[in-house]
Amino acid sequence: MVWVTRLQDLATTTDAVRRTSSRKAKTELLADLLRRLAPEEIEAAVGFLMAKPRQGAIGVGWATVAGLGEIGEAGLDDGSTGGESPYPPTVLGLDALLSEILATTGSGSVGARSELLTRFLAGCEDDEVEFVKRVLIGEARQGALAGVVTEAGAKAAGVKAAAMRRGAMLQGDLGEAIRVAIVDGADGLDAIDLEVQRPIQPMLASTAADVAEALDATGPEAAAVEWKFDGARIQVHVSRHGGGSNRDRSVSIYTRNLNRVTDRLGVVQAVVEQLACDSAVLDGEVLGFFGDDESPGRFQDTISVFATRGGDDSEGSGGGGGLQPYFFDLMYLDGESLIDRPLSERSAALRDLAEASGLSDVLIPQVFTSDPDAAQAHLDAALDAGHEGVMVKAADGLYEAGRRGKSWRKVKPVHTLDLVVLGAEWGHGRRRGRLSNLHLGARDGDTGDFVMVGKTFKGLTDELLAWQTEQFLARKLSESEQPGRHTVMIRPDMVVEIALDGAQRSTRYPGGVALRFARVKSYRSDKSADDADTIDTVRKLL
């Protein structure tokens, strides 16, 4: 194994990135770092820069990190006697350590993980110790978010940012895409293509105030207007392997964050196994139906069934909360990638596939029109059916990920924003002992930092208060007390959907804007902080 770049190099760079507000400067600093890395280090280093190790959640929380004591050049102060760490304080050393920590499970694993980490940090310089701690608790969000790192990777490799975004989308991993670009150049990046059973980053939508504005943004030609569900995004990969009559079908289901959840969604598997094709990649939603009238549920209701019963509908949907998959895009079919085909062609191919399979009822209702009145009628029908609104999509749009472009626009009568929880205040009265008043932040699209835009304690049930208190304390970064206010600041990785009546100018918050009558709609466990709305989106509500 190559032990090349010390963590100190990453620590110094991220400190410099954190101190500048210039997106260009951040990009140049990170690009210079990426150029210095050995190819074997790039994927792991990119994860550390974004506080998203490639191992994912490794089970080391704030409490463990806070209990490590002062470690660094002074050595250990917690009585550890485990000897030196087998891993040096380098990029790959930390990567190997995290893999071992992840594999350390069972009885006594908490102490064993703490021991592994303590021994590793004993060999680190002080700035390396702080860097590792920030990575572990997700606090290394010093502006090195996906957009900035994507641009830095493109600059380091000498390729266009659009090519890097496409490569990352198809690879499903930004770090690996950057490694390919730096090692193999533009040709290597262009060679990355969609592969069945390898998830790709999903395409995202911007917002529009109404259907007329959305149609204007998507262009003069007829656009696709689709019902918008308040469900959980899924990406489904279907393939056959073997030969002759012994071919077996493989189905893989991924969340919006590309987590594999196939074994939790048997109801989806049962549907897609009926597809009349050899291979396909589909984009869609899982939606729950609840109550005697089987009304479409809210996201938190759907995700609750998703988590507890895994979509098993054996109890029946009436009153029990059954899940149903719906699809709105087809990116691959029988050996051919469709992502470079216009939406009109992808929609036609999806419709033909569904009809041939006898599955027309799993298509999200869609019309193509350039008429605002017809689009409004489709929106009204969606609302009458209990759904959120509509999506308006350019008919000539390709399937692209990495940024919110104008090709897809969401229209919802009630203003909603996906914001990041920065902290919360301890409640009073019946909410005593619960973290209640949320501090809400939007992304700064230029710097990658979070800008506070308001607070809210509305829309929180007793059950949600108890749940979020547990979640916030597991992410605690600091705690402060001021007259009448006791605040816990947390790791900014929880996205909450906020309903609001609008926004107003304000000098109270750094972004110069404040939310009006904000209330919690639901927590979006399917979204990361990189998916949160930007401060520019909030300002458009002024």
Side-chain angles (χ1 to χ4, degrees):
M1 183 171 289
V2 181
W3 312 107
V4 180
T5 305
R6 278 197 68 112
L7 293 174
Q8 193 165 49
D9 204 355
L10 273 66
T12 300
T13 299
T14 54
D15 185 56
V17 168
R18 190 168 51 249
R19 290 199 308 267
T20 180
S21 60
S22 167
R23 187 183 182 95
K24 180 180 179 181
K26 291 176 185 288
T27 301
E28 291 176 345
L29 286 164
L30 292 167
D32 182 61
L33 171 65
L34 291 171
R35 291 189 195 98
R36 298 196 302 270
L37 295 171
E40 299 90 340
E41 300 175 308
I42 294 174
E43 182 182 354
V46 168
F48 298 153
L49 292 171
M50 299 189 296
K52 294 180 178 179
R54 66 182 185 85
Q55 292 83 0
I58 59 172
V60 175
W62 177 86
T64 299
V65 174
L68 290 174
E70 296 298 324
I71 304 173
E73 295 182 28
L76 306 181
D77 68 355
D78 67 347
S80 175
T81 58
E84 294 184 0
S85 171
Y87 307 114
T90 63
V91 170
L92 292 182
L94 177 58
D95 184 61
L97 170 76
L98 296 185
S99 293
E100 182 174 353
I101 289 176
L102 182 65
T104 303
T105 60
S107 177
S109 62
V110 173
R113 289 178 173 190
S114 179
E115 177 75 13
L116 286 167
L117 185 56
T118 299
R119 289 163 56 195
F120 178 80
L121 293 180
C124 295
E125 303 291 339
D126 290 342
D127 54 353
E128 293 173 324
V129 170
E130 292 308 310
F131 175 79
V132 173
K133 288 183 176 181
R134 291 199 303 270
V135 168
L136 291 173
I137 62 175
E139 196 188 358
R141 303 185 66 88
Q142 61 291 315
L145 298 180
V148 179
V149 177
T150 299
E151 293 174 12
K155 188 175 185 65
V159 301
K160 294 181 178 179
M164 182 61 75
R165 285 192 293 271
R166 176 185 169 84
M169 174 186 77
L170 295 173
Q171 186 69 42
D173 184 282
L174 177 57
E176 177 60 15
I178 291 176
R179 186 198 66 78
V180 169
I182 290 177
V183 173
D184 299 324
D187 289 344
L189 200 59
D190 291 343
I192 299 175
D193 203 354
L194 192 157
E195 293 183 9
V196 182
Q197 305 299 345
R198 184 178 69 189
I200 68 173
Q201 295 175 1
M203 189 166 177
L204 304 177
S206 299
T207 58
D210 52 43
V211 290
E213 179 184 304
L215 288 172
D216 184 62
T218 54
E221 302 298 326
V225 184
E226 302 170 354
W227 286 10
K228 185 182 188 309
F229 294 168
D230 191 17
R233 187 89 171 258
I234 56 170
Q235 183 180 129
V236 178
H237 291 240
V238 182
S239 61
R240 291 187 188 273
H241 54 85
S245 61
N246 296 319
R247 292 187 301 168
D248 295 323
R249 184 184 291 264
S250 295
V251 176
S252 297
I253 306 169
Y254 301 91
T255 67
R256 178 191 183 101
N257 293 328
L258 309 188
N259 296 318
R260 195 171 189 273
V261 290
T262 311
D263 58 346
R264 295 165 58 188
L265 288 174
V267 64
V268 179
Q269 289 191 64
V271 169
V272 299
E273 284 176 353
Q274 302 175 52
L275 290 174
C277 64
D278 284 336
S279 58
V281 177
L282 304 99
D283 201 348
E285 299 250 353
V286 168
L287 183 64
F289 292 87
F290 304 90
D292 294 335
D293 60 351
E294 296 189 350
S295 300
R298 300 171 301 170
F299 171 79
Q300 61 261 39
D301 298 323
T302 294
I303 208 68
S304 177
V305 176
F306 189 125
T308 57
R309 289 203 288 115
D312 178 7
D313 200 27
S314 59
E315 299 175 16
S317 58
L323 299 184
Q324 172 69 37
Y326 292 90
F327 299 103
F328 55 78
D329 215 325
L330 178 65
M331 296 91 81
Y332 187 97
L333 180 63
D334 286 340
E336 183 179 1
S337 172
L338 306 181
I339 60 172
D340 292 325
R341 299 271 196 95
L343 173 66
S344 57
E345 293 186 20
R346 302 199 309 273
S347 293
L350 175 60
R351 185 172 57 252
D352 291 345
L353 175 62
E355 290 175 354
S357 309
L359 295 173
S360 296
D361 59 340
V362 301
L363 298 182
I364 290 181
Q366 176 195 72
V367 298
F368 277 85
T369 183
S370 58
D371 180 4
D373 291 336
Q376 183 64 46
H378 202 58
L379 169 59
D380 292 340
L383 297 176
D384 289 344
H387 301 296
E388 279 194 319
V390 292
M391 298 287 293
V392 179
K393 302 177 179 179
D396 60 354
L398 309 183
Y399 195 94
E400 299 174 318
R403 61 171 51 183
R404 297 178 187 270
K406 67 177 184 179
S407 293
W408 288 12
R409 297 288 176 134
K410 53 187 174 183
V411 180
K412 297 188 287 185
V414 176
H415 292 304
T416 63
L417 293 170
D418 292 328
L419 301 174
V420 173
V421 181
L422 305 178
E425 299 170 16
W426 288 105
H428 303 281
R430 75 173 184 87
R431 296 190 175 190
R432 184 174 298 278
R434 297 283 188 263
L435 285 167
S436 174
N437 200 15
L438 307 182
H439 293 207
L440 303 169
R443 281 192 305 114
D444 186 318
D446 292 327
T447 67
D449 298 327
F450 296 105
V451 183
M452 189 170 175
V453 292
K455 302 179 183 181
T456 187
F457 54 83
K458 300 181 182 297
L460 298 169
T461 64
D462 289 343
E463 180 182 13
L464 194 55
L465 280 166
W467 176 84
Q468 74 179 22
T469 298
E470 179 182 356
Q471 295 295 317
F472 292 169
L473 291 177
R475 292 167 167 81
K476 183 169 74 171
L477 299 177
S478 63
E479 193 163 352
S480 63
E481 187 169 6
Q482 300 175 5
R485 188 168 70 232
H486 192 172
T487 306
V488 173
M489 303 307 294
I490 70 169
R491 185 172 73 241
D493 63 358
M494 293 183 69
V495 176
V496 61
E497 186 176 9
I498 298 294
L500 64 157
D501 290 356
Q504 61 191 24
R505 300 188 188 281
S506 172
T507 58
R508 182 177 183 183
Y509 301 115
V513 61
L515 310 179
R516 297 181 64 247
F517 303 107
R519 59 268 188 200
V520 172
K521 188 178 179 201
S522 64
Y523 278 91
R524 299 302 306 232
S525 58
D526 60 330
K527 296 184 178 182
S528 70
D530 294 335
D531 297 322
D533 284 309
T534 66
I535 185 65
D536 288 339
T537 298
V538 179
R539 288 170 180 155
K540 288 179 181 178
L541 297 176
L542 289 172

